[in-house]
Amino acid sequence: MSETKHLFKMKLAPWALLAVAAAWGWAFVIMKDAIQRQSVNNFLFTRFLLGAVVMVLIRPKVLSLLNRDILMRAGAAGTFLGLGFIFQTLGLDRTGAAITGFVTGLYVVLTPLIAWLVLKQKVNRFTWICIAIATVGLGLLSIRGFTVGIGELLVFMSAICFACHIISLSKWSLGRDVYAMTVVQLFMCAALAGIASIPEGYSPPPDAGVWGVVIFTAVFATVIAFIIQTWAQAHMSPTKVAVILTMEVVFAAFFAIIFGGERLTLQSALGGILVVTAMYLIVIKESK
């Protein structure tokens, strides 16, 4: 009976993760409209504070695990995560949801590059080729004539921050409670957005539509997505998890075109294809 349950969970895990990737892709589209009606920093503050509170309510005992070590490490990682979301959302406010998804996905390729620069980890020739492909793709997505779009530049900054976040977690999460570290990171994201909101002041979501987006991104695209990802990784290899989660980029483009009314130029479409290709190549290669 237990073996049957295990096989069922192994079959369910990929579909559960695919739902997470779809939720993240959908978030790009619905956030685009919400941040037209509420400032970026106010939106992010509400989203992450709500997400952190929900996680504490689900598992109140997590507060007893918050020692100085976790607060320091998770706080630093949360700084990268918070800055990543701030840059990403500011960029989304200035460019399309599809392109935001593509450029954000570059974190998969940037991670080994930053690890090489900061941690002196060796980068092989294949990874350099993937980086080159992704760079060309980014250029096609961002360059318009002789100028670079500010929106794409901001999202690229977010991809760098997300890559730094991944590297910091790989160094600090081992042997520490993952749930507790996530709670601290979400509170740090809320704190950064709150600080950035000080000059303009805080105002809550202005209507039910924005509240709906806040709740969806906080609860479904953050809390439930994290719980599903943690559960799925117990039943799948890290590489399979990474491959499925990169579908976030594809879902973002699909939803933006079908439901967001966006249109990709040939140049942007080619750039997106190159970015996705580089992402999949580098993830699949690491499984060998």
Side-chain angles (χ1 to χ4, degrees):
M1 187 69 177
S2 60
E3 175 133 8
T4 304
K5 283 185 178 180
H6 180 65
L7 287 172
F8 174 74
K9 289 178 180 179
M10 288 183 67
K11 289 181 179 180
L12 180 63
W15 295 103
L17 270 182
L18 194 62
V20 169
W24 288 346
W26 179 239
F28 282 116
V29 179
I30 60 174
M31 282 171 57
K32 178 73 176 173
D33 179 62
I35 57 178
Q36 302 296 322
R37 307 206 298 274
Q38 185 184 27
S39 75
V40 167
N41 292 317
N42 281 185
F43 176 87
L44 291 175
F45 173 77
T46 311
R47 169 187 174 177
F48 287 111
L49 183 61
L50 178 60
V53 170
V54 169
M55 288 196 74
V56 172
L57 291 175
I58 290 173
R59 187 181 163 191
K61 290 182 179 179
V62 70
L63 296 176
S64 65
L65 301 175
L66 302 183
N67 55 38
R68 185 176 182 275
D69 177 67
I70 284 181
L71 289 173
M72 293 290 290
R73 300 292 194 280
T79 300
F80 289 126
L81 185 63
L83 290 174
F85 276 109
I86 289 172
F87 282 127
Q88 182 193 64
T89 312
L90 287 171
L92 177 63
D93 191 32
R94 293 164 174 79
T95 190
I99 290 177
T100 299
F102 285 131
V103 179
T104 299
L106 282 169
Y107 73 84
V108 176
V109 184
L110 288 171
T111 299
L113 177 61
I114 295 174
W116 171 68
L117 290 170
V118 177
L119 304 178
K120 308 303 179 185
Q121 292 182 0
K122 187 178 180 181
V123 176
N124 57 39
R125 183 181 299 177
F126 182 84
T127 302
W128 281 117
I129 292 172
C130 290
I131 290 169
I133 293 172
T135 301
V136 174
L138 176 64
L140 290 172
L141 285 168
S142 306
I143 297 173
R144 302 166 186 168
F146 294 99
T147 62
V148 176
I150 184 65
E152 291 80 6
L153 184 61
L154 287 167
V155 181
F156 181 65
M157 291 296 295
S158 82
I160 294 174
C161 291
F162 289 141
C164 291
H165 174 249
I166 291 170
I167 293 168
S168 63
L169 283 185
S170 70
K171 296 290 289 183
W172 297 329
S173 62
L174 187 64
R176 297 180 176 90
D177 187 88
V178 176
Y179 199 96
M181 289 196 69
T182 302
V183 169
V184 173
Q185 289 174 78
L186 292 185
F187 273 119
M188 180 57 73
C189 288
L192 289 173
I195 292 169
S197 297
I198 290 174
E200 61 190 337
Y202 175 74
S203 58
D207 53 58
V210 178
W211 266 114
V213 176
V214 167
I215 291 169
F216 175 83
T217 54
V219 178
F220 293 94
T222 304
V223 177
I224 293 177
F226 161 73
I227 293 170
I228 290 175
Q229 183 181 352
T230 304
W231 171 81
Q233 286 191 227
H235 305 284
M236 295 173 63
S237 70
T239 301
K240 286 182 180 178
V241 170
V243 169
I244 292 173
L245 290 182
T246 54
M247 282 296 293
E248 170 194 1
V249 174
V250 179
F251 279 120
F254 175 77
F255 290 141
I257 293 167
I258 300 300
F259 300 107
E262 293 188 14
R263 297 182 66 184
L264 290 179
T265 64
L266 178 61
Q267 177 179 321
S268 295
L270 287 173
I273 290 169
L274 287 175
V275 168
V276 173
T277 299
M279 288 165 54
Y280 276 94
L281 286 174
I282 204 165
V283 169
I284 292 169
K285 175 67 175 177
E286 288 189 0
S287 67
K288 298 180 180 178

